[in-house]
């Protein structure tokens, strides 16, 4: 069986973009994988590791014959990055992304692109707190969910092709309305990151005599706050683009936090235990 795409450009060769390139090459889904980015050292590393076959650093240098463009930059840059490539793209080139926010990107991409260049929004639910080409692994998506977010205007053939592309890399593909996607991820992914950043900063600013509190953090604190090591630029953009859903989630969390604060303050041990038991049960229900 031949490759699905002759020439793929990955714009943003980090953890997700680099892993996608590795997986696509491993499965024979692309004939050539080409990287784009602003960091020469990172691109050179990606080439040396065999993640990409070659790279370029200016949008006007994009080669001809690209039939798949993957946008793997921070979400606020997605649409403008696509616009910078658009004059050189040929009809039939399929564009997709890997961003954690979907509704605004799908809407703006469909305004930007002509009918002969289809866009399919995608979000692989996989990753870690690491970033850059050095973090890329070929099996990152294996067994993990990838959500495709078509609209009423999404090209059916392009959607089917991206469905097959992600399945071939081992992902469990599902399709979802982009607005619903953002509401769900605002609770299960974006909110936890905001909370962990706040918790670590609380520790960093706390004063207990002259003690360095960081030296007393055990395994539980380190495990819980691991995602605070995630790329700040990436999460800045996610918070700004999905601000409505994250704002709603934060309000709900603050209400629950205030409830716990009141129970602790008032010495309501029975109610406090009930809250903890409820959380214990919800945690056990997670697959």
């Amino acid at each position: 069986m031949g490759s699905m795409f002759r020439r793929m450009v990955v714009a943003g060769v980090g953890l997700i973009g680099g892993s996608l390139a590795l997986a696509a090459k491993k499965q024979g889904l692309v004939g050539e994988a080409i990287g784009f980015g602003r960091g020469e050292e990172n691109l050179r590393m990606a080439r040396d590791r065999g993640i990409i076959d070659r790279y370029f650093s200016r949008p006007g240098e994009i080669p001809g014959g690209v039939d798949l463009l993957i946008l793997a930059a921070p979400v606020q840059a997605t649409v403008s990055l696509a616009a910078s490539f658009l004059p050189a793209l040929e009809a039939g080139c399929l564009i997709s992304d890997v961003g954690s926010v979907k509704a605004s990107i799908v809407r703006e991409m469909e305004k930007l692109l002509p009918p002969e260049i289809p866009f399919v929004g995608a979000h692989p639910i996989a990753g870690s707190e690491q970033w850059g080409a050095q973090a890329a692994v070929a099996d990152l998506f294996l067994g993990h969910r990838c959500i495709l977010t078509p609209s009423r205007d999404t090209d059916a053939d392009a959607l089917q092709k991206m469905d097959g592309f992600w399945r071939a890399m081992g992902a469990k593909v599902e399709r979802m309305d982009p607005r619903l996607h953002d509401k769900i991820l605002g609770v299960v992914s974006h909110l936890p990151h905001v909370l962990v950043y706040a918790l670590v900063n609380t520790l960093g600013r706390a004063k207990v005599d002259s003690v360095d509190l960081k030296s007393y953090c055990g395994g539980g604190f380190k495990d819980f706050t691991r995602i605070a090591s995630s790329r700040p630029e990436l999460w800045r953009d996610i918070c700004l683009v999905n601000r409505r859903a994250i704002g709603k989630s934060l309000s709900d969390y603050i209400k629950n936090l205030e409830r716990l604060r009141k129970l602790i303050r008032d010495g309501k041990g029975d109610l406090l235990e009930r809250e903890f038991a409820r959380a214990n049960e919800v945690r056990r229900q997670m697959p």
Side-chain angles (χ1 to χ4, degrees):
M1 179 177 126
S3 58
M4 293 180 67
F5 298 97
R6 184 174 73 256
R7 183 168 289 163
M8 173 180 71
V9 165
V10 177
V13 190
L15 170 66
I16 302 298
S19 296
L20 185 151
L22 272 177
K25 291 181 67 177
K26 180 180 179 180
Q27 298 301 324
L29 302 175
V30 298
E32 184 181 24
I34 304 168
F36 170 86
R38 61 191 181 189
E40 178 84 16
E41 184 178 347
N42 185 70
L43 290 169
R44 192 181 303 115
M45 179 193 299
R47 183 194 60 194
D48 293 346
R49 284 193 58 200
I51 296 172
I52 53 176
D53 300 303
R54 54 188 171 116
Y55 64 84
F56 63 103
S57 301
R58 289 190 289 272
E61 296 173 343
I62 188 170
V66 173
D67 51 358
L68 176 62
L69 171 60
I70 299 292
L71 303 168
V75 291
Q76 283 203 119
T78 298
V79 179
S80 60
L81 190 57
S84 71
F85 290 126
L86 187 54
L89 296 181
E90 300 171 13
C93 177
L94 198 164
I95 303 179
S96 189
D97 75 326
V98 293
S100 181
V101 184
K102 294 266 73 87
S104 62
I105 289 176
V106 171
R107 182 173 62 250
E108 294 304 314
M109 287 294 290
E110 290 182 343
K111 288 180 183 178
L112 172 70
L113 299 176
E116 63 271 18
I117 297 181
F119 174 75
V120 178
H123 178 205
I125 312 294
S128 74
E129 73 280 7
Q130 301 175 26
W131 69 78
Q134 75 276 2
V137 290
D139 62 352
L140 183 68
F141 312 112
L142 189 63
H144 289 273
R145 179 182 279 123
C146 180
I147 302 176
L148 302 182
T149 56
S151 73
R152 291 178 301 176
D153 299 322
T154 300
D155 181 89
D157 291 338
L159 177 61
Q160 191 61 33
K161 198 166 188 179
M162 287 310 296
D163 187 298
F165 181 75
W166 279 104
R167 290 184 191 278
M169 289 189 290
K172 299 176 180 178
V173 178
E174 66 178 80
R175 302 178 186 185
M176 183 181 292
D177 176 83
R179 290 164 297 184
L180 176 60
H181 166 279
D182 290 356
K183 290 178 182 178
I184 292 173
L185 270 293
V187 177
V188 302
S189 175
H190 306 165
L191 175 65
H193 278 80
V194 173
L195 301 185
V196 166
Y197 283 128
L199 176 60
V200 173
N201 283 334
T202 298
L203 170 76
R205 293 167 180 147
K207 303 295 182 184
V208 180
D209 295 331
S210 59
V211 175
D212 180 7
L213 297 179
K214 297 187 292 298
S215 67
Y216 284 84
C217 293
F221 189 92
K222 292 176 181 177
D223 289 344
F224 179 63
T225 58
R226 173 185 55 81
I227 56 176
S229 299
S230 300
R231 185 179 175 188
E233 179 186 6
L234 176 70
W235 284 97
R236 174 204 66 198
D237 280 15
I238 289 170
C239 287
L240 293 177
V241 177
N242 200 28
R243 67 183 71 182
R244 181 174 298 179
I246 295 173
K248 171 67 165 60
S249 298
L250 273 171
S251 294
D252 293 342
Y253 180 79
I254 289 168
K255 288 177 183 176
N256 280 297
L257 203 59
E258 286 289 353
R259 173 174 168 77
L260 289 177
R261 186 182 69 84
K262 187 173 185 299
L263 293 178
I264 293 169
R265 182 196 66 196
D266 296 344
K268 302 289 187 180
D270 54 340
L271 296 179
L272 196 61
E273 183 179 351
R274 187 181 304 172
E275 285 292 302
F276 294 164
R278 180 185 179 191
N280 192 292
E281 178 59 28
V282 172
R283 181 63 181 84
R284 280 202 300 268
Q285 294 170 6
M286 296 179 188

